[in-house]
Amino acid sequence: MNEQHQDQAPPPQRMRVSLFVTCLADLFRPSVAFASIKLLEQAGCEVTVPLQQTCCGQPAYNSGDYESTVPLAQQVIALLETADYVVVPSGSCAGMICHHYPKLLQGEWRDRALKLAAKTFELTIFLKDIARIKPQFDAPPSTLSVTYHDNCAALRELNIKEQPRQLLQQLCGIKVNELQQSEVCCGFGGTFCAKMPEISGKMTDDKLNHVIATGAKILTGGDLGCLLNIAGRAQRQGKEIEVRHVAELLCGDMDTSPIGEGR
Amino acid sequence: MEQHSDTFLANASKALKNSGQAERRDKIGLLAPQIRAAAIHSFDGFDELRQHVKEVRQHSLNNLDYYLSQFEKEAVQNGNQVHFARDSEEFNSLILDICQQHDARRIAKGKSMVTEETGLNSFLQGAGLNVRETDLGEYIVQQAGETPSHIVRPALHKSANDIRELFQQKHDLGARKLDKTSDLVVEARNVLRKDFLQAEVGVIGANALIAENGYSMLVTNEGNGDLCANLPKVLIVCTTIDRVLPRAEDASAMSRLLARSATGQPQSCYTSFYSGPRREGDIDGPLETHFVLLDNERSNILSSDYREILECIRCAACLDHCPIYTSVGGHAYGSIYPGPIGSVLTPLLTSLEQSHLLPNACTSCGRCAEVCPADIPLPDLLRDLRHEEGIKKLSPQRWRYGLKLHAWLARHPPLYQTLTAIGIRILHRLGRKRGRFSRLPFADGWTSQRDFPAPQENTFMQLYKAKMKQNNER
């Protein structure tokens, strides 16, 4: 879905973007949304935030409560469908809109879902491939030691792998110190982590072991769900790693405390 | 089908505490995907073949009655007897009848998941027959009185040391050296040789039935299936009705996907086609051959929304790539079909009431669907089962109502934003110093394993609206 856009003609001068903040960024980490706005503006976009937004419906949907998800999906579609582009700073929420709304809905709503899906993008793929944010060729090599966690939905539903890494390199001079087993789930899985906490904890430990093995000081990624989970487990296990959303790193926001750290 | 999936969480908890087994599972989770990836990488056109085989499988299932009739006609013409069994009971009885007709006392068995599903071994043993598993993994599991923990590697949960101790205890062979893994293999081979020669009936599975010629196909790596098929006087081939394919070339196309996905081999060591009893002039082969084809809910699955699960070719790649399977192992699932495929199949073969936890053992990470050679959308099917779980009110009430309440609130943006602003403010005040919580009411599932990160001071919506207001006033 996203690939077809890569071959299109250069984007018009000023792209009008609606930001879908996602409920986790809205509630737990507004800095992610502010960083996203800053990056989109830096890429030359005109950003609006539709004020009636709440949640994309993943919690109910993943639990199989399709009846509760349908009206929520319709609400999101009606809210966002007039935008030129919709950008989401989360792989799983973008995946929900792009892949699962069309599966969930039927008839006219399915058509509207497909139209919205065609112009909805996860933040890093949008910055890199659609808005083509200008690389900072003179960005000096960063002293930050960073590793990247691939969110499963971004990786497998949206084909996002290189984009955030290239952005970190081109905008901040950060070379990602790669994780072993980077394509394996971190154990979050939405309600899974609370329904089957012990199994989830083991999976997160595996992920953390790989994170620690890289020697990186900062773990970043494109999805707050995974990051809240990994940060929470690291803190419980006394493992020292700073967890920050990739949007925050990309716009150079190091003043905000890392996830789960006090001031 | 015997199962204890209702205690999945307790089974998993026990498995996680067995550090030796956990270490071996971690190794499989690391190595099996690498081996598969290398096999697929070196094979040009895996995706095209996958698409082709999927179309063939869909076509066969759409015309199952036609191809089953054709298979039956051809197989009978080849001198076989073909039996259909509605359920496990009928299946087991049919096989016992055949054994009793021949006064058989000893059965040599090749690997067959279908007979695990029906509990054939214990049924035959209950009738006084001696059943010997001859696939090395199945033999080990049988000696230990256990069940397989993996569809392709039944004894995955056992270390070489476990097997060494088991053989010392079970084989009355006096003092001997069993230091090397190969010593264990040689010993099992020698012990089993006698069983092959003495058995009156051989029982094997089938990876495919071929409608155009009435043959069955079996792939193995040990050749034990061929000994079971050719040495005893009577051969019984056991499989399910959904295994039928139109042409021989379809079976061979499928086997190319199967071996690469299961073990990373381009081709299994033995790929055998069984046509029927010994013909005049043949120097060996069984004198009488039977096909016993089990339905056991497959017809119902075929007419349900879960029909794609019947396209499974039993490679177990979804197990090897599932971080939950590799965390807890096969036995935790309490069903002979574990992992993603098992979490779909088990509720369909038994009941969702007994096994509704299994479809929840999934983070929707999508890795199983990515590697599935049959291109089955496993995470979608698992979510559909969770949907059914909710409708049948099998999931915990507080989860159901909690999620419904959240979804309802999210459909009322002003109320949602007011309430979340208050909640977030309180959480922030309580947690700002340390930045996180070790315990929170209503979030014990989360905080049992991890700290709960405290939110920043306000919601984004509050901050953004305030900023807009400021801008407007300026």
Side-chain angles (χ1 to χ4, degrees):
Chain A
M1 203 157 292
N2 286 305
E3 285 156 308
Q4 68 195 39
H5 283 274
Q6 293 170 19
D7 305 323
Q8 284 183 356
Q13 280 305 303
R14 207 150 161 80
M15 304 169 83
R16 295 191 316 130
V17 169
S18 281
L19 183 71
F20 188 71
V21 173
T22 78
C23 62
L24 288 181
D26 175 31
L27 303 186
F28 289 95
R29 222 148 155 92
S31 50
V32 172
F34 283 115
S36 304
I37 294 173
K38 210 170 139 188
L39 287 163
L40 288 165
E41 286 175 348
Q42 189 184 323
C45 304
E46 193 184 311
V47 185
T48 55
V49 181
L51 295 177
Q52 299 293 304
Q53 56 178 292
T54 56
C55 164
C56 69
Q58 268 190 93
Y61 179 73
N62 286 337
S63 299
D65 186 352
Y66 300 156
E67 291 75 13
S68 295
T69 319
V70 167
L72 204 43
Q74 290 170 340
Q75 172 177 299
V76 173
I77 293 168
L79 183 72
L80 299 175
E81 65 189 344
T82 52
D84 288 349
Y85 292 96
V86 174
V87 172
V88 190
S90 155
S92 63
C93 305
M96 180 73 187
I97 295 174
C98 293
H99 288 267
H100 297 286
Y101 282 4
K103 269 195 264 188
L104 180 71
L105 300 169
Q106 281 155 8
E108 178 220 348
W109 278 105
R110 182 169 181 273
D111 297 339
R112 288 167 73 176
L114 284 169
K115 278 189 194 136
L116 177 62
K119 56 185 177 184
T120 299
F121 298 90
E122 185 272 346
L123 177 71
T124 60
I125 202 168
F126 183 81
L127 289 173
K128 185 75 190 68
D129 297 341
I130 310 300
R132 302 189 190 154
I133 192 167
K134 233 171 91 195
Q136 308 283 312
F137 287 114
D138 46 0
S142 169
T143 52
L144 298 177
S145 150
V146 175
T147 187
Y148 193 88
H149 168 65
D150 289 295
N151 154 261
C152 293
L155 194 62
R156 282 181 271 267
E157 290 177 356
L158 306 172
N159 287 318
I160 297 171
K161 178 91 187 176
E162 290 313 316
Q163 296 86 348
R165 291 162 171 82
Q166 289 166 350
L167 288 175
L168 284 165
Q169 174 78 59
Q170 293 173 357
L171 299 185
C172 316
I174 292 172
K175 187 167 175 350
V176 169
N177 199 338
E178 292 293 347
L179 278 177
Q180 292 286 309
Q181 299 275 82
S182 66
E183 307 204 338
V184 177
C185 174
C186 70
F188 173 59
T191 52
F192 169 83
C193 74
K195 282 182 181 166
M196 302 201 167
E198 210 178 340
I199 304 171
S200 164
K202 192 267 176 192
M203 290 162 67
T204 314
D205 282 345
D206 289 348
K207 183 60 66 185
L208 272 170
N209 288 338
H210 292 304
V211 170
I212 300 298
T214 63
K217 293 279 173 289
I218 298 174
L219 170 74
T220 192
D223 206 288
L224 266 182
C226 312
L227 299 180
L228 291 165
N229 169 51
I230 299 172
R233 183 70 180 176
Q235 284 147 0
R236 176 63 56 89
Q237 301 285 60
K239 298 206 161 140
E240 282 190 23
I241 183 83
E242 270 184 33
V243 184
R244 296 174 183 277
H245 192 279
V246 70
E248 298 169 328
L249 272 190
L250 285 174
C251 80
D253 172 13
M254 296 299 286
D255 297 332
T256 305
S257 311
I259 295 172
E261 293 297 342
R263 264 182 275 187
Chain B
M1 190 170 121
E2 200 188 309
Q3 65 162 132
H4 42 276
S5 308
D6 49 336
T7 52
F8 174 74
L9 288 176
N11 307 343
S13 181
K14 202 173 127 202
L16 288 170
K17 291 184 178 85
N18 185 332
S19 57
Q21 288 190 8
E23 205 175 300
R24 276 195 304 288
R25 285 195 298 268
D26 285 344
K27 221 177 263 175
I28 275 291
L30 185 72
L31 293 178
Q34 288 177 7
I35 292 167
R36 175 199 168 272
I40 300 223
H41 186 71
S42 64
F43 173 58
D44 213 16
F46 186 85
D47 287 336
E48 287 83 348
L49 189 62
R50 165 155 98 160
Q51 199 48 43
H52 167 72
V53 172
K54 184 166 181 83
E55 280 161 21
V56 171
R57 292 280 282 151
Q58 278 173 339
H59 170 81
S60 325
L61 289 168
N62 288 342
N63 301 281
L64 189 57
D65 50 350
Y66 173 80
Y67 287 115
L68 272 177
S69 309
Q70 190 188 9
F71 171 80
E72 183 184 16
K73 191 176 135 242
E74 294 296 329
V76 167
Q77 206 145 39
N78 295 340
N80 298 284
Q81 298 177 47
V82 180
H83 317 264
F84 291 91
R86 199 170 306 133
D87 53 25
S88 298
E89 224 165 80
E90 244 182 67
F91 177 90
N92 291 344
S93 303
L94 268 165
I95 292 173
L96 178 62
D97 280 352
I98 298 167
C99 295
Q100 285 175 340
Q101 278 164 26
H102 293 272
D103 291 324
R105 311 288 310 157
R106 285 166 298 239
I107 319 292
K109 246 185 104 232
K111 189 166 157 27
S112 152
M113 288 308 290
V114 175
T115 60
E116 297 281 354
E117 179 180 323
T118 66
L120 178 67
N121 287 10
S122 56
F123 182 81
L124 294 180
Q125 282 160 350
L129 274 69
N130 185 331
V131 184
R132 171 66 68 230
E133 290 288 351
T134 64
D135 171 87
L136 180 56
E138 291 281 352
Y139 174 72
I140 291 165
V141 168
Q142 188 188 34
Q143 290 302 305
E146 295 171 346
T147 52
S149 62
H150 189 281
I151 293 174
V152 174
R153 310 177 185 90
L156 183 64
H157 57 288
K158 292 213 140 357
S159 68
N161 223 9
D162 295 338
I163 298 164
R164 192 169 294 120
E165 277 169 23
L166 183 72
F167 281 10
Q168 297 278 14
Q169 186 197 330
K170 296 280 175 178
H171 297 158
D172 190 13
L173 293 170
R176 64 209 186 272
K177 278 183 85 174
L178 285 176
D179 298 347
K180 289 180 292 189
T181 311
S182 57
D183 296 337
L184 297 169
V185 177
V186 168
E187 178 160 314
R189 180 195 300 224
N190 290 337
V191 169
L192 283 169
R193 195 58 42 153
K194 180 182 72 93
D195 293 310
F196 286 123
L197 293 167
Q198 289 180 345
E200 294 105 351
V201 173
V203 172
I204 60 169
N207 296 93
L209 301 172
I210 301 162
E212 68 175 358
N213 57 19
Y215 290 10
S216 68
M217 179 182 79
L218 179 72
V219 300
T220 72
N221 273 324
E222 297 167 24
N224 63 309
D226 296 311
L227 293 175
C228 289
N230 287 307
L231 293 176
K233 315 186 285 219
V234 180
L235 168 65
I236 306 174
V237 179
C238 301
T239 191
T240 47
I241 53 168
D242 50 323
R243 298 290 113 191
V244 70
L245 291 170
R247 302 162 301 186
E249 67 183 80
D250 302 326
S252 99
M254 188 193 83
S255 77
R256 301 173 79 193
L257 292 179
L258 178 59
R260 286 180 173 87
S261 301
T263 54
Q265 295 164 289
Q267 183 87 55
S268 48
C269 297
Y270 298 85
T271 302
S272 306
F273 294 86
Y274 302 102
S275 57
R278 186 189 301 192
R279 291 159 302 190
E280 226 177 275
D282 285 353
I283 52 164
D284 60 6
L287 301 172
E288 188 178 308
T289 55
H290 299 260
F291 283 100
V292 185
L293 308 182
L294 175 70
D295 184 323
N296 201 23
E297 297 297 326
R298 268 82 178 174
S299 303
N300 290 333
I301 298 174
L302 192 63
S303 60
S304 77
D305 294 336
Y306 301 98
R307 67 183 293 160
E308 274 179 281
I309 206 65
L310 298 178
E311 293 163 19
C312 169
I313 63 172
R314 299 289 187 274
C315 70
C318 63
L319 277 60
D320 296 338
H321 289 75
C322 174
I324 292 154
Y325 175 87
T326 55
S327 291
V328 302
H331 288 152
Y333 290 79
S335 158
I336 55 122
Y337 298 113
I341 173 69
S343 296
V344 177
L345 206 50
T346 305
L348 299 176
L349 295 182
T350 58
S351 75
L352 193 59
E353 281 75 7
Q354 283 171 283
S355 44
H356 67 96
L357 288 174
L358 301 185
N360 285 286
C362 170
T363 63
S364 302
C365 80
R367 215 170 166 219
C368 51
E370 185 180 49
V371 298
C372 175
D375 199 18
I376 299 170
L378 288 157
D380 289 346
L381 298 181
L382 289 166
R383 198 180 45 247
D384 288 347
L385 283 165
R386 297 197 287 277
H387 178 225
E388 224 172 287
E389 181 199 24
I391 288 175
K392 290 186 167 174
K393 298 191 166 47
L394 297 169
S395 46
Q397 208 177 35
R398 66 172 193 149
W399 274 109
R400 273 201 324 278
Y401 288 136
L403 288 162
K404 278 204 189 305
L405 177 66
H406 174 263
W408 182 85
L409 262 182
R411 291 209 313 275
H412 297 82
L415 180 63
Y416 175 93
Q417 288 173 2
T418 307
L419 290 181
T420 53
I422 298 169
I424 289 303
R425 170 72 61 104
I426 296 172
L427 270 183
H428 170 75
R429 291 253 165 103
L430 292 173
R432 67 183 155 191
K433 215 163 174 191
R434 192 158 162 255
R436 55 186 183 268
F437 301 91
S438 315
R439 259 212 212 148
L440 265 188
F442 309 114
D444 47 330
W446 178 284
T447 54
S448 68
Q449 298 290 322
R450 41 189 109 54
D451 288 351
F452 190 88
Q456 292 170 352
E457 195 164 358
N458 296 99
T459 66
F460 171 79
M461 280 303 166
Q462 267 180 304
L463 297 170
Y464 186 76
K465 282 177 188 166
K467 206 174 141 191
M468 296 240 300
K469 205 170 152 198
Q470 223 175 25
N471 288 352
N472 288 344
E473 279 165 9
R474 229 179 262 161

